[in-house]
Structures are given as C-alpha cells and as structure tokens.
Amino acid sequence: MSKQQAPIPLVDLSADAPCCPPLAQRRVPAETAAVLAPAFKALGDPVRLQLMSMIASAEGGEVCVCDLTPAFDLTGPTISHHLKTLREAGLVDAERRGTWVYYRARPQILRRLAGLLSIEPTAAAQR
C-alpha cells in the first residue's frame, strides 16, 4: 500500500469559482478548513513557496525536477522531500518520464486558496 496521500478532495474541479466565500466575509467552515489547511501549511515553508512559484510560472505549464534542483543550495533528496510535500498537499501533479519527474501546478486548488484569501469589499464596508 502506498504511503502517498491522495490529493485534496476538491468538489467540482471544473468550476472557476472559489470553494467558499473569502474568509474576510464569512467564517470558514471546519470541513473546508480541514481540507485546505494542508495546502496552506505546505506553502508555509520558504523553499516550498519558491518551488511552487517556479512550477506555477513554468513556460509550457510544467517543469522538470532537473531544472528545479540547481536553483537551490540544497541536496536533491531535500528538494524531492519538498516536492513530495507539495504533491501530497494536492498543489502539484507529477509525471515520471524516464529518469526525470515533471511537475505541474493544479490551478483549481490555487484558485480556491486565492479566493479564500481575497479581500472583497462587503456591502457593510461600502456604506
């Protein structure tokens, strides 16, 4: 049995709308917080945040681990650990091609995280 966790269970992955109202508008339900917290936790590390940025902004939508590793003064196994954490949090997908692994961001979860953090003016604040 694989130790790898399943990606974050997102509802209606085809929707562009965030999963819930921004946290500045309404309390985040416990169920939603439990689902999204691992992604926020994974991004709480500076190296993982940089890796996520490199993957999400990669030309062509994907990047080889061979292009990620030289950008850091860390060993290959340490970079692999950070990438595994991003994968287990549901932030990236990985595909092995021969010797190398290629990573792609999962835009659906990124949209949901961004939507939760957006600051939209509420009707009360506009008065």
Side-chain angles (χ1 to χ4, degrees):
M1 190 155 122
S2 173
K3 290 184 180 180
Q4 183 176 350
Q5 298 173 351
I8 294 174
L10 301 173
V11 178
D12 191 12
L13 292 178
S14 63
D16 286 331
C19 66
C20 45
L23 56 81
Q25 290 181 3
R26 187 177 311 150
R27 179 180 174 184
V28 177
E31 195 174 89
T32 301
V35 169
L36 295 179
F40 282 116
K41 183 176 180 181
L43 293 173
D45 179 90
V47 171
R48 288 194 289 269
L49 185 59
Q50 288 180 294
L51 283 167
M52 189 69 233
S53 175
M54 292 173 71
I55 295 166
S57 65
E59 193 171 315
E62 66 181 11
V63 64
C64 178
V65 68
C66 62
D67 294 322
L68 295 171
T69 305
F72 298 91
D73 190 23
L74 298 169
T75 65
T78 300
I79 295 297
S80 292
H81 165 75
H82 286 299
L83 291 167
K84 178 183 176 187
T85 300
L86 292 174
R87 197 174 60 249
E88 288 177 347
L91 293 164
V92 298
D93 287 323
E95 179 185 342
R96 179 170 292 283
R97 296 183 201 154
T99 305
W100 301 112
V101 178
Y102 288 78
Y103 290 88
R104 286 175 306 286
R106 295 185 66 213
Q108 301 88 347
I109 185 66
L110 295 178
R111 275 192 219 85
R112 282 165 172 76
L113 296 176
L116 188 65
L117 294 176
S118 72
I119 304 297
E120 298 292 328
T122 62
Q126 292 177 347
R127 290 185 209 159

